[in-house]
């Protein structure tokens, strides 16, 4: 018996990387999942990889777009009959460098996608019945250790993730007992999204980690699955750092 048997989940930003890893873990543990991403072809491939239409279906669109959010939630209800779990994984980081050089239009777009959209997804999910009728709901937001300490050249990304961490705290406080809301804060995970942070120097970067390796999507997926499960039934508003120990010495 899987930890998520009979559950229906939405995982945003899930055609590849951490999001796909989370979706795969949830499907393996009995859930049916609605996947989101911008590219229909990548979503179709991901859904097929997860076992096809009985287990996963993709809906393409911009995660910050309300019409897309409505379509995804509607798909969960119509295709799988409900909604129990939400993972806000979508995040963007088009800016690299000092805060003083950060274009304000880019900063606004990042905040909208990384923070405001996460709130919107929760609002839509709750309106659709998440946590209602005695059926407990759970949300996990995918933050970052960049939101915990100074993040240097990805500082604005860190600011958005710090806001997401605090959003998790506030939602956890307000949505109990029917809905638990938690977050994970990964360090560098080997994905296309994070490639610029380690490509060509992975061994050197990993040497700062007590575990002596960078993360892989499965590392984050296991933590997310736990926080969504009834094993975490008395945990809400918390952020679980998943970082191979790199922050233990004060570094990011």
């Amino acid at each position: 018996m899987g930890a998520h048997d009979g559950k229906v989940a939405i995982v945003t930003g899930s055609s590849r990387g951490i999001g796909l890893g989370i979706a795969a873990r949830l499907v393996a543990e009995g859930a049916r999942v609605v996947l989101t991403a911008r590219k229909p072809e990548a979503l179709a491939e991901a859904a097929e990889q997860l076992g096809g239409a009985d287990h996963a279906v993709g809906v393409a669109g911009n995660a910050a777009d309300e019409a897309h959010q409505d379509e995804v939630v509607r798909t969960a209800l119509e295709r799988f009959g409900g909604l129990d779990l939400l993972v806000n994984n979508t995040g963007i980081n088009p800016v690299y460098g000092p805060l003083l050089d950060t274009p304000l239009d880019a900063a606004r777009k990042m905040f909208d996608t990384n923070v405001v959209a996460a709130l919107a997804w929760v609002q839509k999910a709750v309106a659709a019945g998440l946590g209602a009728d005695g059926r407990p709901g759970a949300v996990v937001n995918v933050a970052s250790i960049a939101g915990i300490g100074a993040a240097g050249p990805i500082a604005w990304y860190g600011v958005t993730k710090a806001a997401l961490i605090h959003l998790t705290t506030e939602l956890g406080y307000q949505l109990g007992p029917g809905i638990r809301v938690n977050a994970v804060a990964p360090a560098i995970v080997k994905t296309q999204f994070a490639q610029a942070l380690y490509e060509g120097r992975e061994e050197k970067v990993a040497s700062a980690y007590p575990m002596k390796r960078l993360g892989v999507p499965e590392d984050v997926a296991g933590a997310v699955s736990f926080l969504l499960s009834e094993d975490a039934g008395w945990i809400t508003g918390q952020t679980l750092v998943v970082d191979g120990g790199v922050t233990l010495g004060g570094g990011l």
Side-chain angles (χ1 to χ4, degrees):
M1 183 174 177
H4 305 297
D5 279 347
K7 299 293 180 69
V8 178
I10 291 171
V11 182
T12 70
S14 48
S15 64
R16 67 186 190 196
I18 290 173
L20 181 56
I22 292 168
R25 179 66 179 258
L26 296 183
V27 168
E29 294 186 342
R32 292 166 294 169
V33 181
V34 182
L35 313 170
T36 85
R38 286 178 176 271
K39 297 178 180 177
E41 301 82 5
L43 274 177
E45 187 177 324
E48 189 63 29
Q49 185 179 326
L50 297 181
D54 289 342
H55 302 281
V57 61
V59 180
N62 181 339
D65 179 70
E66 286 201 51
H68 170 65
Q69 295 162 3
D70 287 334
E71 183 183 4
V72 172
V73 171
R74 186 168 59 249
T75 299
L77 300 179
E78 292 177 356
R79 291 289 295 272
F80 297 136
L83 179 58
D84 306 285
L85 311 172
L86 169 65
V87 180
N88 281 311
N89 174 65
T90 300
I92 60 171
N93 184 29
V95 174
Y96 190 89
L99 280 172
L100 292 183
D101 296 337
T102 301
L104 295 184
D105 284 345
R108 292 185 186 99
K109 183 177 180 181
M110 287 172 67
F111 200 86
D112 190 44
T113 300
N114 295 1
V115 185
V116 178
L119 174 60
W121 281 102
V122 174
Q123 290 176 336
K124 302 279 188 185
V126 172
L130 183 73
D133 302 323
R135 188 169 170 170
V139 178
V140 171
N141 298 319
V142 179
S144 168
I145 62 166
I148 294 172
I154 58 169
W156 186 252
Y157 176 75
V159 170
T160 69
K161 291 302 187 176
L164 183 62
I165 287 169
H166 193 71
L167 176 64
T168 300
T169 302
E170 297 289 357
L171 288 171
Y173 182 72
Q174 293 190 19
L175 297 185
I179 302 170
R180 296 181 303 100
V181 185
N182 292 290
V184 290
I188 296 176
V189 176
K190 292 170 65 175
T191 64
Q192 186 175 331
F193 179 81
Q195 216 163 14
L197 299 176
Y198 68 88
E199 192 172 26
R201 54 195 181 97
E202 181 179 337
E203 189 175 334
K204 181 180 179 183
V205 174
S207 68
Y209 288 60
M211 298 305 294
K212 301 304 178 192
R213 68 173 177 86
L214 302 183
V216 293
E218 291 78 9
D219 292 320
V220 181
V224 171
S225 177
F226 163 69
L227 289 172
L228 292 172
S229 77
E230 286 306 305
D231 283 340
W234 209 43
I235 301 173
T236 196
Q238 304 302 308
T239 296
L240 177 60
V241 174
V242 185
D243 71 343
V246 72
T247 57
L248 297 176
L252 292 188

